[in-house]
Amino acid sequence: MSYWFLVSLPPLVVALAYGRAPFFAWYGVGLVWLAALAWLAGWSPAASGLALGVLAVSGAVFVVPGIRRSLVTAGIFRAFRKALPSMSQTERDALEAGTVWWEGELFGGKPTWNTLLAYPAPRLTPEEQRFLDVETTELCRLTKDWECTQAQDMPEVVWKYIREKGFLGMIIPREYGGKGFSAYAHSQVITKLSTRSSAPAVTVMVPNSLGPAELLLHYGTPEQKQHYLPRLARGQEIPAFALTSPWAGSDAASIPDAGVICQGTYQGREVLGMRVSFDKRYITLAPVCTVFGLAFRLFDPQHLLGDVEDLGITCALVPRDHPGVDIGRRHFPLNAVWMNGPIRGTDVFMPLDFIIGGPAMAGQGWRMLMECLAAGRSISLPGSNTGMQKMTARAVGAYARVRYQFKTAVGKFEGVEEALTRIGANTWLSDAARVMTAGAIDLGEKPSVVSAIVKFHVTERARQTVNDGMDVIGGKGICLGPQNFLGRAYQQIPVGITVEGANILTRSLILFGQGAIRCHPYVLKEMEAARGGDLVAFDEAFWGHVGYTVSNAARALVMGLTGSHFVAVPDAGGKGVAPETRRYYQQLTRFSAAFAFLADISMGTLGGALKRKEKLSARLGDILSLMYLASAALKRFEDEGRQAADAPLLHWVIWDCMFKAQSAFEGAIANFPNRLFATLLRRVVVFPLGRPYFVPSDRLGHEVASLLINPSATRDRLTSDVYLPTDLEEPAGALEAALTATIEAEPVEAKVRRAVKTGQFKPGLLVGGGVDALYEAALAAGIISRDEFALIVRRGELRDKVIRVDDFPYDFGLRQALAGLADEHRKAA
């Protein structure tokens, strides 16, 4: 019997792996299969009937819902409820905020690629495109980053332009006087501004993502909307939002800032209000804001609003000039120009009408923040950090072609190629993730887990990109001044790593920790059923979970053993996918099933302790994130028409994502606390035939690096919407012209080298003639023409502009500091 049972297992496993019927439906299939095998083995009818009867009766305990609930599920239900940790309202709000999107498909183990590919690629409307091409370009032109740095503020003409042209009201609907732009348009504007300077980018970014306007749109009373939204849209009000306190940074839900419901006087009238004390810091735009959102915990000890004393986190909108508000000083986040500073107040009385949404929304602030953060975090930092990378790719690529050492463009050295490869690939991938996620927001999604994924990975890749860029340009990058096109970005990279959820916390606690509950098809249902005491709902969720886990294990095993060659490939609406990407879809499907099984085993064996296994949780989050990034890369390739010239970028990022995901699998399994399960996972389910991916090849890296140093349509797509000034005194303008001049001069250089090598030309000893004396001698010897020599001269002039660095009087820094102190004293006086 055992022999025939083992023989029957493979088809059952395949059925579980590729079938779509629920797990217990295959129980009946298994009985039929075993009966057929018993008959083929020559068993007597009595023996076969007895064996199958025993199996059927024992199986009925699990298959018949009523029997299963009373004999099996009830005990599991009691144990589950006892083990289930308590959850605060803020934790519940964070888990329930936002929506689940494509990350849920990846978490489920069976991503439906046709669904992803069918999502429309985001497009700008004619009005949005004009705003990007005209107003945003002009704002870039008006902003000189070095001048702003020296003044530690943007000129008044820039502030005036931002207000008058509606940059602060891009997300505000037209009926309130705003632009009513899409999330994608918002992201495009921030991306372009960030290729020029962080000052206008952050100034525009915050009011349109994390400021009061977003909260007012979703939760404000009609009176609040009518009063504030038109004023915000016109730039008449400059908003800020105060959340972070000295004692609550990443753990924002524990803010100690508090208010108490009480009677008080407002504008000469006795009204019901709240007396609030707060100490906030790191608040962007605080020094110049005219109104600010304020998050605090609200209490009602006298029960003036109802029976609840601790109402919870509440959001209010407070005018800058409200009595008791202390505002106006500033921080210098890595010497950034954009305004940032503290907001404080002690026992500040505010009427209840200040609460966003009115008194009915008292205590609802945390949910409001979580839902708005999911949208804003998907746009702001991914946009700004992608823009930073695009500028780096464009400028550093040009510099690597213009700058020569050892008679060779530095971009042609293999060591520099490695850095250029990462710059190009990370920029392309970050842009793909940015665009796909902004598109999801426009589809009505508020994907909280995805927003954390793109925030973490785009900012981390931006750090790698800018660091690589600094390595390539060397001394040019470390001397600050108007000719330095990368140093200020390098200084401010840690800001994006730190804000909106520090990256260490995001990776180790949120990506998988929040994703495991939000994205899993059964866990949240089990938790809700247990908390509600609903045995029927728990029974359905729990056994669905068991079938889901076994199905994913079987699918991962079969796909691993078959190399996933038999996995269905999306038809993309009947047109199919690019042939060179077929295997990527198949392998990602395999990784998705293996991840779903590994996630279930981790949650099942570790339970609540998984929350404390941050390194394991971080690696699981890496796998989920890298699958999302790879999905974005595949979608970008399809949405952009399968550009063959862009294929090296696609192939490099997919191999990089898959190799890193594979390494995260290996790291999670190697450190899995239960060694029996670790062995099962590695040798049987996840990597039965070994690890399929390696680092991207050097040949592929060479192709990617070449795209950065050669003008082409691919390079233009990679660095689209980078602001490129035509002024040759600006470093970006000089680089563009120098790249063209260098390429035009290269045939002349090659001609002279050949002449020297063949003995046609012997330049002799060149003393005091400068770096281009060789070509002067070649002109005198008739090797090159005057037109050819003019190309060399033009190249040399532009090269010298590109490689120059700034110098200042030796006491420049001291003078700046003294001027700043004098200005502060004048203001104090």
Side-chain angles (χ1 to χ4, degrees):
M1 175 66 178
S2 60
Y3 169 77
W4 292 110
F5 180 72
L6 290 173
V7 170
S8 72
L9 272 179
L12 283 175
V13 168
V14 173
L16 286 168
Y18 290 101
R20 292 188 174 274
F23 170 66
F24 291 107
W26 293 107
Y27 178 74
V29 175
L31 290 179
V32 174
W33 185 260
L34 289 173
L37 287 175
W39 177 77
L40 290 172
W43 286 18
S44 66
S48 299
L50 178 62
L52 291 173
V54 171
L55 285 171
V57 171
S58 61
V61 172
F62 294 94
V63 175
V64 179
I67 300 174
R68 183 179 67 233
R69 279 197 293 270
S70 59
L71 296 182
V72 181
T73 309
I76 298 172
F77 184 57
R78 287 191 295 271
F80 190 93
R81 294 190 72 185
K82 186 176 181 180
L84 190 65
S86 61
M87 183 179 294
S88 68
Q89 186 60 47
T90 54
E91 289 177 313
R92 187 174 292 112
D93 287 344
L95 281 175
E96 295 173 357
T99 60
V100 176
W101 189 56
W102 180 247
E103 76 279 21
E105 295 268 352
L106 296 170
F107 210 107
K110 277 187 178 181
T112 51
W113 295 105
N114 283 323
T115 299
L116 177 69
L117 297 176
Y119 289 130
R123 296 284 186 267
L124 297 178
T125 65
E127 180 187 352
E128 292 169 340
Q129 186 66 59
R130 183 188 179 280
F131 189 84
L132 184 68
D133 293 340
V134 179
E135 283 88 346
T136 307
T137 298
E138 176 63 9
L139 179 54
C140 288
R141 188 192 67 80
L142 290 172
T143 306
K144 303 289 193 300
D145 193 67
W146 179 249
E147 293 177 7
C148 293
T149 300
Q150 297 314 296
Q152 278 302 309
D153 195 2
M154 297 183 296
E156 178 54 35
V157 65
V158 174
W159 278 106
K160 185 171 184 285
Y161 192 84
I162 287 173
R163 291 193 298 265
E164 291 182 351
K165 296 300 180 180
F167 280 92
L168 302 182
M170 291 191 295
I171 66 167
I172 296 175
R174 288 182 175 85
E175 59 262 35
Y176 296 107
K179 297 290 184 185
F181 281 175
S182 63
Y184 177 58
H186 174 194
S187 178
Q188 289 289 89
V189 170
I190 299 304
T191 299
K192 183 163 189 171
L193 290 175
S194 299
T195 69
R196 180 61 163 171
S197 170
S198 68
V202 174
T203 301
V204 170
M205 177 176 80
V206 169
N208 287 287
S209 58
L210 305 177
E214 181 86 5
L215 292 170
L216 285 169
L217 283 170
H218 290 93
Y219 309 106
T221 65
E223 294 78 14
Q224 289 171 338
K225 292 179 180 179
Q226 288 296 337
H227 176 75
Y228 279 112
L229 290 178
R231 296 167 65 86
L232 289 167
R234 293 192 300 267
Q236 192 174 344
E237 301 276 10
I238 296 179
F241 193 87
L243 173 61
T244 305
S245 85
W247 305 276
S250 296
D251 183 15
S254 65
I255 51 175
D257 313 283
V260 176
I261 301 292
C262 62
Q263 292 287 337
T265 303
Y266 176 66
Q267 294 182 342
R269 295 183 296 112
E270 187 77 11
V271 298
L272 185 62
M274 47 199 174
R275 198 166 297 281
V276 187
S277 294
F278 48 94
D279 185 356
K280 303 291 190 178
R281 64 180 183 181
Y282 310 150
I283 311 307
T284 299
L285 297 184
V288 295
C289 75
T290 59
V291 63
F292 62 93
L294 177 67
F296 57 94
R297 185 171 289 276
L298 185 60
F299 297 90
D300 186 13
Q302 300 179 57
H303 302 285
L304 297 174
L305 290 183
D307 296 332
V308 180
E309 285 196 16
D310 184 355
L311 296 173
I313 293 175
T314 300
C315 294
L317 202 54
V318 185
R320 175 195 183 94
D321 58 3
H322 187 72
V325 172
D326 179 10
I327 193 171
R329 295 183 66 81
R330 69 182 293 188
H331 305 306
F332 287 104
L334 295 172
N335 213 35
V337 172
W338 39 271
M339 292 293 171
N340 185 278
I343 301 179
R344 302 181 179 98
T346 303
D347 290 335
V348 178
F349 182 78
M350 308 172 187
L352 293 181
D353 288 346
F354 277 20
I355 296 174
I356 296 176
M361 294 303 289
Q364 301 301 309
W366 191 243
R367 174 178 286 275
M368 293 158 61
L369 290 172
M370 289 299 97
E371 298 212 341
C372 289
L373 181 63
R377 191 168 55 181
S378 299
I379 298 168
S380 54
L381 288 172
S384 61
N385 281 256
T386 298
M388 197 183 301
Q389 291 184 79
K390 287 189 173 195
M391 182 275 295
T392 303
R394 186 87 184 190
V396 173
Y399 186 90
R401 184 69 175 268
V402 171
R403 177 62 160 160
Y404 275 48
Q405 290 290 275
F406 307 102
K407 301 180 181 179
T408 305
V410 297
K412 296 182 179 179
F413 288 95
E414 287 195 354
V416 174
E417 267 194 354
E418 282 192 316
L420 291 174
T421 298
R422 289 191 296 267
I423 291 171
N426 282 331
T427 300
W428 192 86
L429 180 58
S430 295
D431 204 25
R434 174 189 71 88
V435 171
M436 187 171 90
T437 307
I441 303 299
D442 284 329
L443 292 173
E445 301 290 343
K446 292 183 178 179
S448 55
V449 176
V450 160
S451 73
I453 288 174
V454 292
K455 185 272 174 183
F456 173 80
H457 279 278
V458 173
T459 57
E460 286 293 340
R461 287 170 188 271
R463 169 154 60 180
Q464 176 75 71
T465 294
V466 174
N467 283 345
D468 281 332
M470 290 289 285
D471 285 349
V472 172
I473 67 177
K476 171 79 174 179
I478 63 175
C479 293
L480 290 176
Q483 296 306 313
N484 189 324
F485 57 85
L486 196 55
R488 296 288 288 136
Y490 177 76
Q491 282 183 306
Q492 295 172 49
I493 273 289
V495 175
I497 300 295
T498 304
V499 301
E500 294 185 30
N503 278 8
I504 289 178
L505 174 143
T506 298
R507 177 174 177 260
S508 58
L509 293 180
I510 295 178
L511 297 183
F512 181 77
Q514 186 175 358
I517 298 175
R518 281 312 313 270
C519 301
H520 196 287
Y522 295 103
V523 167
L524 189 57
K525 295 177 183 177
E526 291 167 335
M527 293 172 63
E528 290 173 343
R531 287 201 173 87
D534 190 339
L535 176 61
V536 174
F538 180 83
D539 176 79
E540 182 179 349
F542 179 80
W543 292 107
H545 190 163
V546 171
Y548 161 85
T549 302
V550 174
S551 176
N552 278 322
R555 294 177 65 249
L557 172 60
V558 171
M559 286 188 279
L561 290 173
T562 60
S564 67
H565 284 283
F566 301 104
V567 175
V569 176
D571 62 13
K575 66 179 181 179
V577 295
E580 63 267 37
T581 66
R582 288 176 54 87
R583 291 292 294 142
Y584 298 148
Y585 290 100
Q586 292 176 325
Q587 289 282 28
L588 274 169
T589 300
R590 173 197 166 184
F591 273 33
S592 175
F595 167 75
F597 180 64
L598 176 58
D600 267 327
I601 292 296
S602 300
M603 289 187 285
T605 58
L606 296 174
L610 180 58
K611 186 176 182 179
R612 297 185 293 276
K613 296 286 185 182
E614 294 178 24
K615 295 175 184 176
L616 177 60
S617 179
R619 293 183 180 108
L620 292 169
D622 290 342
I623 300 168
L624 177 62
S625 301
L626 289 161
M627 290 192 296
Y628 182 84
L629 294 179
S631 302
L634 290 168
K635 180 162 175 60
R636 175 175 185 174
F637 192 67
E638 289 294 328
D639 287 347
E640 292 185 348
R642 306 177 187 175
Q643 300 289 337
D646 298 1
L649 290 161
L650 169 73
H651 294 310
W652 198 96
V653 301
I654 292 289
W655 274 85
D656 182 62
C657 285
M658 298 300 280
F659 175 76
K660 287 176 178 174
Q662 178 180 270
S663 298
F665 268 117
E666 187 65 34
I669 293 169
N671 292 279
F672 203 78
N674 188 312
R675 301 313 302 158
L676 175 63
F677 277 114
T679 301
L680 171 70
L681 287 164
R682 178 187 290 110
R683 300 189 181 280
V684 179
V685 178
V686 180
F687 299 126
L689 299 181
R691 301 195 297 177
Y693 278 93
F694 305 94
V695 295
S697 69
D698 290 344
R699 176 194 57 77
L700 192 55
H702 170 74
E703 293 178 22
V704 172
S706 296
L707 294 173
L708 267 65
I709 64 175
N710 290 292
S712 66
T714 294
R715 183 170 181 264
D716 291 340
R717 281 189 291 272
L718 177 67
T719 60
S720 60
D721 293 317
V722 171
Y723 175 70
L724 297 173
T726 56
D727 184 356
L728 297 183
E729 293 305 309
E730 294 214 32
L735 276 164
E736 288 294 299
L739 176 61
T740 301
T742 297
I743 292 171
E744 291 174 346
E746 283 176 346
V748 182
E749 294 175 335
K751 183 177 182 180
V752 173
R753 285 197 302 271
R754 283 195 304 270
V756 173
K757 186 175 182 179
T758 60
Q760 181 185 358
F761 169 50
K762 295 182 180 180
L765 184 62
L766 301 173
V767 179
V771 293
D772 292 330
L774 173 64
Y775 303 102
E776 294 174 2
L779 174 64
I783 302 299
I784 58 175
S785 68
R786 290 200 173 276
D787 288 343
E788 289 172 322
F789 182 68
L791 294 176
I792 294 293
V793 171
R794 175 67 171 163
R795 187 281 316 269
E797 291 171 348
L798 290 169
R799 174 203 59 210
D800 292 346
K801 283 184 180 293
V802 163
I803 66 174
R804 66 183 172 178
V805 298
D806 300 286
D807 51 66
F808 305 93
Y810 77 94
D811 59 347
F812 174 77
L814 176 62
R815 280 196 260 170
Q816 293 291 108
L818 291 173
L821 285 172
D823 185 54
E824 187 169 324
H825 286 310
R826 280 195 300 274
K827 289 180 180 177

